[in-house]
Amino acid sequence: ELVARTASQKHDPRRLVRDFTAGTTAAALLLFCPLWIVPGPWLENLFSLALGPEWGGAAGASRALAPWIATAFAVSHLGVVFLRTGRLAPLLGFNLVLLGTRLSSFGFGAVSGNFDLMLWALSISGLFVYIALYPLALRQIGFHNQGSPAVSGPARSGADP
């Protein structure tokens, strides 16, 4: 609520979203890049050392899912844009597309019998869907700002004075 109020009162909401997304993207890169920088055998040893010997094999799965999880971490806050602007239909559409990509990836993995390939399909499809969310959210902010004056305080209840 504080971010939304600040955005509507003092700053261009699109700029605020871009700046916040840039910050969360930087944090995601710092958190998830080590999964790509550390060579595979060393990563398995790190997993085994940190979590126990039975977790060494999880390094490959973590590496495959890192792009999707990092992107989800970086842009997951954008769902609030749709709630704040009252435009839930695009958010529902986004979530249905995301669900479709997940189910397709699981189906692809089941048919191919290749678990690693399924994880990569899940990760890459999720990555592209989340990347598509960013311009969609900025567009929703534009629609919201064109249709009404700057909103101050809590979200409007529907009854204007």
Side-chain angles (χ1 to χ4, degrees):
E1 182 65 33
L2 179 61
V3 171
R5 190 175 309 142
T6 301
S8 63
Q9 290 178 354
K10 296 181 182 178
H11 304 289
D12 174 23
R14 288 184 189 198
R15 181 171 180 221
L16 183 68
V17 168
R18 281 191 302 262
D19 291 348
F20 190 75
T21 302
T24 55
T25 300
L29 288 173
L30 288 173
L31 291 171
F32 294 99
C33 273
L35 292 172
W36 286 86
I37 294 170
V38 176
W42 291 2
L43 188 61
E44 289 179 15
N45 289 336
L46 286 173
F47 267 69
S48 295
L49 181 64
L51 302 171
E54 64 275 2
W55 284 92
S62 298
R63 183 172 281 177
L65 293 174
W68 170 43
I69 294 171
T71 308
F73 176 83
V75 300
S76 62
H77 62 279
L78 294 179
V80 174
V81 168
F82 297 95
L83 295 173
R84 181 73 179 153
T85 59
R87 296 182 180 260
L88 299 179
L91 184 60
L92 175 63
F94 164 78
N95 283 310
L96 289 174
V97 168
L98 187 60
L99 175 65
T101 61
R102 289 176 178 171
L103 291 176
S104 298
S105 298
F106 289 135
F108 177 70
V111 169
S112 71
N114 188 334
F115 181 72
D116 290 334
L117 197 56
M118 182 216 42
L119 289 178
W120 279 104
L122 182 67
S123 185
I124 299 304
S125 64
L127 171 77
F128 285 125
V129 171
Y130 275 115
I131 287 172
L133 177 66
Y134 181 71
L136 184 62
L138 291 179
R139 187 172 173 212
Q140 294 307 312
I141 293 171
F143 285 149
H144 182 69
N145 286 345
Q146 287 174 357
S148 64
V151 178
S152 62
R156 294 184 178 198
S157 62
D160 288 332

